[in-house]
Structures are given as C-alpha cells and as structure tokens.
Amino acid sequence: MSIRTDNKPAETVERTPLVARLPGRLSQFSWVDAAVAAAVLVMLYVVLRVGHGTTVAFNTRQNVKVDTDPAQLPYDAARSLLRMFAALALSIAFTFGYAYAAARSRRLERILVPALDILQSVPVLGFLTVAVTGFIALFPGSMLGLECASIFAIFTSQAWNMTFGFYYSLTSLPRELDELSRSFGFTRWMRFWKVELPAGMIGLVWNGMMSFGGGWFFLVASEAISVNNQRYALPGVGSYAGDAITDGDLGKVGWAILTMAVMVIGVNFLFWRPLTAWAEKFKNEQSEASEVQRSVVLDFLRRSHWPRLLGRMLHPLGRALSTAGRVFGRDDRPLVVDRTRQRTGDIVFTVVAGGLILWGLLDLGHYLHDRTGLGVFGEPLLLGLATLARVVVLVTLATVVWVPVGVKIGFSPRLTRIAQPVVQVLASFPANFLFPLAVWFFLRTGLSINIGGTLLMALGAQWYILFNTIAGAMAIPSDLREAMDDIGVRGWQRWRRLIIPGIFPSYVTGGITASGGAWNASIVSEVVTFGGTSLTATGLGAYIAKATGSGDYPHLIAGVAVMSLYVVGLNRLLWRRLYRLAEARYSL
C-alpha cells in the first residue's frame, strides 16, 4: 500500500496502517499501561493454570473425597471463580438470544415466556440429575464432563433472572428510541447494539450481579453433587464447605466462609463495581446528574491507552460484523398487518406447538403410569401448599422491607458505593454455610424448621427484589427527581407520582424472580444437616431433595412437575398481570 507524500499530513496519518503507528503509540505508554498489561497477563496465566485441572482423568465409579486442607482453598477458590464466570458468559449469551426472540416474535412469545416460567421453577437439583448423566457420557473418563455439569447447574441459577429483566426492557423500549431506529433505517443488528442493548444496560448489569450472587448461593449443590446414590465432587469452595459441614468441622467451615467473603468482595471491587459505574452513561436523562457512580478500577482503566488501542484494532472487525448483520434485515416492521394472514399463521403455529407439547405430556404420563401410577402427584401437591405459604410470606416481607431500602440506595451514589459490596456479600452467601448456626439455633430455641426454613429461603430470594429496586431507582432520570424537588413534592405524593411508577417495572421483574428463586431455594432450605444432626421441614423442596439423593426418578419428575405447576400458576395469576400493567402504564 503506497502512502501519499503531499501537503496533507493529517490525511497521511489517517491512511497509515495501524501497525506502522504502533511504535509511536507505545512511546506514549506509562506505568498505568504496564500495570494493566501485567494484570491481564497474570489473569490469563491463572486461567490456563487452573483450567488445566478440568481435563484430568476421572473415575465415575468412585465416590470422591474433597481435600479439606485450608492450604487448598486458594486453588479451590480459583476453580470456583472460573466456573462462575463461564456460567455468566453462557447466561449472557442465552439472555440475548432468548429474550430477543420472545420480545420480537409474538408467536414465539406465547411459548418462550411460559417456558421461562417453568425453567426458573425447575430446581438446580432437577437439572443436575440430567446434566451429570449427559455430560459424563459426552466426556467419558474426563473431569471435563463433571465441570460442564457443574457450570450448567450454575448457569441454571443465573440465567432466568437476567432473561426476564432484559425481556422486559425490550418490550418496554421508549417510543422515541423506537422511532429513532425506524427513521434512521437501522438494520436489526444495529438496532439491537445501538438502541435496545443500551436501553436495558443498567437493568442487565444489576440483574447480572444478582444472578451471580444466585450462583454463589447454589455453589455447594453445584460442586458437591449427589445423584442416584453416587457422590461426585469437584475442587471448589462449595464442595470444600459441603464436606466440612458434613464432618461437623466448624473451623474449616469458618475458613470456607472467610474465603467466600474475600471472593465476593474481590469480584465486586474488580468487576461489578466498575460495570455499574460504566453503565451510568446509559441512563436516559436530559441533564447530567450532580452525583455519579465512581470506581477506582474504572478510573484506572480509563487512564490507560490499552482500551483505546484495542478499540482501534477491533474497529475493522466491528464494521465487518455490522455489514454481515445486514442479512437480518432492516428495522422496518409494518405498523399495519394483514389480519387474515396473521390469524392463519397463529392457527398453524398453535396446532404444531400444541401438538408437540401434548405428545410430550402424554409420553410423560405413560412413563409415570408404568412405574408408580399417576397417584404419585398427590403427595407433592399437598407438600407444595406448605412451600407456597412460605413463598408468599417471604415475598410479602421482602417487599415491605427491601423496596424502601432499595430506593434509598438507588437514589444515592454515595450510599451505593458503601452498600453495594455489603449487599453483594449478603446476597451471595450460601444457605449451606449457615447450617451449623441454623441447627444450633433451631435446637436451642425450639424453633421449628417449618418456620426457620423460611428464613433460610429468604437468603436466596429476597435479594432479587432489592437489586431490581436499586436498578429501577437508578434508572429514574435525574431531571425528573430534580423537577419533583423544585415543585416541593415530598412524602407519599413523591412515592405515588415518581417512585412507584419509576421502579414498578423493575420491581415486577424482581418479584417474579424472587418467587421462582424462593421455590428453588426451598431445595437447600427445607433439609438442614450439620454433622450427624438433620432437620427436615414439611414441603416440596425436601421432597425433591430426598428423591434426588436416592435416584428416585419418578418421584423426582413428579416433584419438579408440581413445583413448575405452582410457579407457573402464581406467575399467570399475579405476576403476568402486573407485567401487563407495567407495560401499559409505568414505562419511562
């Protein structure tokens, strides 16, 4: 490629290949750039070193005993972190694809949204039963099969909350942004990356943070797997804590708790805090807020030349992807549709989808009828009423307690900096880690596990409401809040005119995922074991946990089916109606 030598130095520099300009760029690098490069290299080395242990040979016929030497905890922590971030990456990819399909296709929405209700109601142990068998068969004799099963289990505890939140942001896109995309003739690819994703970024980040905490909550169940009277364990903080709890070793449980706290705080400081501060630029407001979120790590990265250099290097790739994205078509959906054609398509789609679902249900009915009879549903239906009562009490109390707290935190960037790591630690704390204290407290006070189990369930569910309320409060434009201040709107009037309409869509997302999370958390909260003492509550969660441990597939299927029935019924009767109300009246 020839370079022009006329009297236009600016154009000459612009036409110079990037590789030829690198020496000049590198001469401007400072100690900040060196520190960032060193940190990235260390992180890559750790990932490669830890990832090597995921492919070692493994004998599936032997029960595995976890090494509970405290010196092993740094390696266990690294393995757990690797699984968590792998599951988060899968969850983000699933969220984009699933939520977009449900939001953009009216017919698919009728299948995908109810299916999402069912998926979030299926307990982690229900997924594990199938995942372990499938992945071990896929990677015979290798630890990679168990690693994939564990990552899949963590994924099932993360993905649904993020998908619900992003689906709502797509369906409630502000009208002016929709009109902007149409008027500029964006392709669907450009509309997603330049309009829809930025509009939902704040909720996506906060829901991602909450979902990451949900992964921590089920870490013990995901790393120390008991299926069909066979126990599989992977190196990790969850399996370490599980063995320490089984052995009744309080000292090692304490080391696991300390390690977990360090991991959660470190991930919050290095990853989630910078993300929440960066997401502030996507707030839809007319004037800049007087206070904004700050992050030491983000400020440090912004001082580095690496992000800008990397952006220039990837710019041709971005243009190529944008060009390739034209195959998805333009954002030119007609405002008026042919009703006859639409009705015909709806009938065909309903017949095909309904036939497949009916075939699956009949096949499942035959399976259960041949092994136990359809009467197997009687016991879980009754036990589900007890768990339902705990879920209703939990969601009601969480709403009363955490909505005002979430609004207070979301409105104050200074308070957010203080509260975010604290809330993140509390939301990420597995209920299993509290089993020693719970057993001692229940036995000492005489408190029934039927009541105390609700408190343990709250550890895995109430935070969805808090995090979504914070995200909703943060998304309220600062100019609206300042306008309310200028006209002197205070107290209940402020809540009725600004706060409730502003946070209501986010609260509904938090409520529906908190409800599903409570059902899921009942699996590890209705059976409390420490050492040789075991307390079992009356409920559907304990029923499913028992069936999973003994490998009783008919009763496990019946329990999961009944739990799905309760969750979908509650969502249809309550949460979906609130969703429609939010879409119709409370979109900013």
Side-chain angles (χ1 to χ4, degrees):
M1 176 179 177
S2 61
I3 301 177
R4 295 178 57 179
T5 57
D6 53 15
N7 296 326
K8 296 182 180 180
E11 184 176 352
T12 301
V13 173
E14 185 66 28
R15 293 173 179 267
T16 303
L18 177 62
V19 176
R21 301 201 304 270
L22 284 179
R25 299 289 184 187
L26 293 175
S27 64
Q28 302 175 8
F29 280 18
S30 64
W31 69 271
V32 175
D33 302 291
V36 172
V40 172
L41 289 175
V42 170
M43 182 181 67
L44 291 176
Y45 169 76
V46 171
V47 170
L48 291 175
R49 182 72 180 270
V50 174
H52 178 71
T54 64
T55 57
V56 298
F58 173 69
N59 187 355
T60 58
R61 297 181 179 179
Q62 295 180 354
N63 287 333
V64 179
K65 181 68 175 178
V66 178
D67 185 359
T68 55
D69 182 358
Q72 186 72 13
L73 274 172
Y75 177 77
D76 290 344
R79 289 285 290 268
S80 294
L81 279 174
L82 187 61
R83 294 183 196 107
M84 291 287 292
F85 278 102
L88 180 65
L90 289 175
S91 299
I92 292 173
F94 177 86
T95 294
F96 287 169
Y98 197 101
Y100 185 84
R104 300 289 288 183
S105 173
R106 187 175 55 85
R107 296 189 184 108
L108 286 179
E109 183 182 31
R110 296 178 179 178
I111 299 296
L112 295 180
V113 174
L116 195 61
D117 290 338
I118 296 174
L119 288 171
Q120 75 151 346
S121 67
V122 176
V124 170
L125 296 183
F127 286 112
L128 269 175
T129 303
V130 178
V132 170
T133 304
F135 282 114
I136 287 179
L138 188 62
F139 301 100
S142 174
M143 184 71 77
L144 188 59
L146 278 183
E147 286 287 349
C148 290
S150 179
I151 291 172
F152 180 75
I154 298 172
F155 159 82
T156 61
S157 65
Q158 292 181 351
W160 323 131
N161 176 53
M162 298 170 63
T163 305
F164 268 120
F166 193 58
Y167 162 76
Y168 175 77
S169 73
L170 292 175
T171 57
S172 60
L173 189 73
R175 185 185 301 273
E176 60 270 19
L177 295 181
D178 179 67
E179 293 173 350
L180 180 145
S181 175
R182 294 176 185 275
S183 62
F184 277 91
F186 285 174
T187 63
R188 291 191 176 97
W189 177 268
M190 293 176 63
R191 175 188 171 97
F192 179 79
W193 292 105
K194 295 184 178 297
V195 177
E196 293 173 329
L197 182 58
M201 183 58 70
I202 293 179
L204 184 64
V205 169
W206 279 88
N207 277 306
M209 192 190 312
M210 178 65 249
S211 297
F212 204 80
W216 289 126
F217 186 84
F218 290 102
L219 195 62
V220 176
S222 303
E223 293 181 347
I225 308 165
S226 296
V227 177
N228 198 19
N229 292 319
Q230 186 76 22
R231 187 176 187 275
Y232 306 103
L234 291 166
V237 177
S239 58
Y240 180 100
D243 269 38
I245 291 170
T246 301
D247 295 339
D249 192 328
L250 286 175
K252 292 179 179 178
V253 172
W255 280 111
I257 292 174
L258 178 62
T259 304
M260 175 67 74
V262 171
M263 290 167 64
V264 172
I265 294 173
V267 170
N268 178 75
F269 178 77
L270 296 174
F271 185 74
W272 291 116
R273 185 65 195 159
L275 269 184
T276 54
W278 172 78
E280 282 283 295
K281 69 178 184 178
F282 297 106
K283 184 179 290 187
N284 184 19
E285 56 187 7
Q286 301 298 321
S287 61
E288 187 176 355
S290 57
E291 285 188 286
V292 295
Q293 300 288 335
R294 300 297 299 271
S295 166
V296 174
V297 175
L298 182 62
D299 292 343
F300 193 81
L301 289 175
R302 283 171 172 167
R303 292 175 56 191
S304 171
H305 291 81
W306 289 111
R308 290 185 290 275
L309 180 60
L310 185 63
R312 292 191 182 98
M313 294 176 65
L314 295 179
H315 184 67
L317 177 61
R319 291 183 62 89
L321 289 175
S322 181
T323 302
R326 294 175 182 174
V327 300
F328 298 109
R330 304 183 71 85
D331 182 24
D332 56 358
R333 289 177 299 169
L335 297 178
V336 179
V337 297
D338 186 342
R339 294 297 180 185
T340 303
R341 182 178 178 182
Q342 184 184 68
R343 191 176 299 108
T344 302
D346 289 345
I347 294 174
V348 173
F349 180 81
T350 302
V351 169
V352 174
L356 292 174
I357 294 173
L358 181 61
W359 173 79
L361 291 176
L362 290 175
D363 190 61
L364 175 62
H366 285 306
Y367 172 82
L368 294 176
H369 181 269
D370 293 340
R371 284 161 175 77
T372 59
L374 297 182
V376 70
F377 289 102
E379 184 180 2
L381 281 171
L382 292 176
L383 293 174
L385 293 175
T387 303
L388 174 64
R390 297 188 184 102
V391 171
V392 171
V393 170
L394 187 156
V395 172
T396 302
L397 292 179
T399 299
V400 173
V401 173
W402 293 116
V403 167
V405 174
V407 170
K408 185 71 173 178
I409 294 174
F411 278 1
S412 172
R414 186 177 306 166
L415 185 58
T416 302
R417 287 195 295 270
I418 300 172
Q420 182 179 329
V422 177
V423 173
Q424 184 72 10
V425 171
L426 294 175
S428 306
F429 207 80
N432 311 68
F433 284 28
L434 287 180
F435 282 1
L437 178 61
V439 170
W440 173 85
F441 180 77
F442 294 157
L443 294 177
R444 186 68 179 267
T445 61
L447 181 66
S448 171
I449 182 64
N450 291 306
I451 299 176
T454 306
L455 302 177
L456 295 177
M457 286 170 60
L459 293 176
Q462 61 184 347
W463 312 113
Y464 291 103
I465 291 177
L466 175 60
F467 271 70
N468 279 276
T469 301
I470 293 174
M474 291 180 65
I476 296 178
S478 300
D479 44 3
L480 290 182
R481 292 161 50 189
E482 292 168 359
M484 289 289 176
D485 292 336
D486 292 340
I487 61 179
V489 178
R490 297 287 188 275
W492 170 243
Q493 284 294 327
R494 185 182 182 91
W495 274 85
R496 191 166 66 91
R497 300 290 185 183
L498 174 67
I499 297 177
I500 292 179
I503 69 169
F504 189 75
S506 297
Y507 166 77
V508 174
T509 299
I512 195 172
T513 49
S515 176
W519 284 98
N520 220 326
S522 67
I523 305 295
V524 295
S525 302
E526 293 183 349
V527 180
V528 179
T529 302
F530 178 64
T533 304
S534 181
L535 303 176
T536 303
T538 300
L540 189 55
Y543 178 92
I544 294 175
K546 180 181 177 181
T548 303
S550 61
D552 189 343
Y553 290 106
H555 286 83
L556 174 62
I557 293 173
V560 170
V562 169
M563 183 173 284
S564 302
L565 177 65
Y566 273 109
V567 174
V568 172
L570 188 61
N571 289 348
R572 294 290 105 183
L573 294 175
L574 175 63
W575 297 113
R576 286 300 158 198
R577 295 183 179 183
L578 294 180
Y579 251 133
R580 288 193 290 270
L581 178 63
E583 292 174 4
R585 296 188 56 186
Y586 297 119
S587 295
L588 288 175

